[in-house]
């Protein structure tokens, strides 16, 4: 069996909120597990009971997993990385972009025809994560 690559994100105490927002945008099944839900003992730190130990958003095309950070805030808004959504159609991409923008995101690169064919654009969601949208 070949390995797979998926995304893992961490935020300082609000990862569950982020995953719920992305579920609103992309659909899928979301499973969340707080530290109170686990029976983990002997951990090298004392997590808050309501902190997210592990969450998984299962989408038709992949997984986005995450958990709350225990050691402070990480820089989020940057262009060194992005989440790439390969849309089924131009209309699909436009709808998801509109949903992100309506929820407080910012379209920083207009979704339009790309030099390599198809369409491409970028949005920073309300949490500062850059999403690239592509449709052929």
């Amino acid at each position: 069996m070949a390995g797979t690559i998926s995304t893992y994100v961490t935020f300082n105490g609000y990862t569950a909120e982020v995953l719920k927002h992305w579920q609103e945008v992309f659909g899928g099944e979301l499973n969340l597990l707080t530290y109170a839900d686990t029976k983990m003992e002997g951990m090298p730190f004392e997590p808050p009971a309501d902190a997210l130990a592990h969450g998984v958003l299962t989408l038709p095309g992949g997984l986005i997993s995450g958990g709350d950070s225990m050691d402070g805030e990480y820089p989020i808004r940057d262009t060194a990385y992005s989440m790439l959504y390969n849309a089924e159609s131009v209309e699909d991409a436009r709808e998801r972009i509109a949903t992100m923008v309506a929820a407080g995101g910012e379209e920083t690169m207009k979704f339009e025809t790309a030099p390599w064919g198809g369409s491409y654009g970028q949005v920073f969601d309300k949490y500062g994560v850059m999403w690239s949208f592509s449709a052929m």
Side-chain angles (χ1 to χ4, degrees):
M1 178 173 154
T4 62
I5 296 174
S6 61
T7 302
Y8 188 91
V9 297
T10 185
F11 298 88
N12 191 12
Y14 58 98
T15 306
E17 179 183 329
V18 173
L19 291 172
K20 287 175 186 177
H21 172 64
W22 293 345
Q23 182 186 32
E24 291 173 6
V25 174
F26 299 104
E29 181 181 331
L30 181 59
N31 291 298
L32 302 173
L33 180 72
T34 65
Y35 283 99
D37 299 327
T38 70
K39 299 197 179 358
M40 300 172 84
E41 295 180 13
M43 296 183 67
F45 57 91
E46 192 66 38
D50 63 344
L52 185 66
H54 188 67
V56 179
L57 176 57
T58 303
L59 302 165
L63 302 172
I64 303 174
S65 301
D68 285 334
S69 65
M70 295 294 125
D71 59 354
E73 185 69 42
Y74 297 103
I76 302 298
R77 188 170 176 132
D78 198 346
T79 58
Y81 68 92
S82 68
M83 306 285 273
L84 174 61
Y85 180 73
N86 291 300
E88 293 181 20
S89 65
V90 168
E91 295 77 25
D92 175 39
R94 288 189 195 286
E95 287 175 18
R96 295 178 196 280
I97 290 168
T99 300
M100 276 194 175
V101 170
E106 175 188 3
E107 186 173 13
T108 55
M109 180 182 287
K110 187 169 174 57
F111 185 75
E112 57 190 14
T113 303
W116 56 86
S119 297
Y120 179 84
Q122 296 173 344
V123 175
F124 276 93
D125 70 15
K126 66 182 179 179
Y127 299 100
V129 176
M130 187 171 105
W131 284 85
S132 299
F133 288 85
S134 178
M136 294 308 279

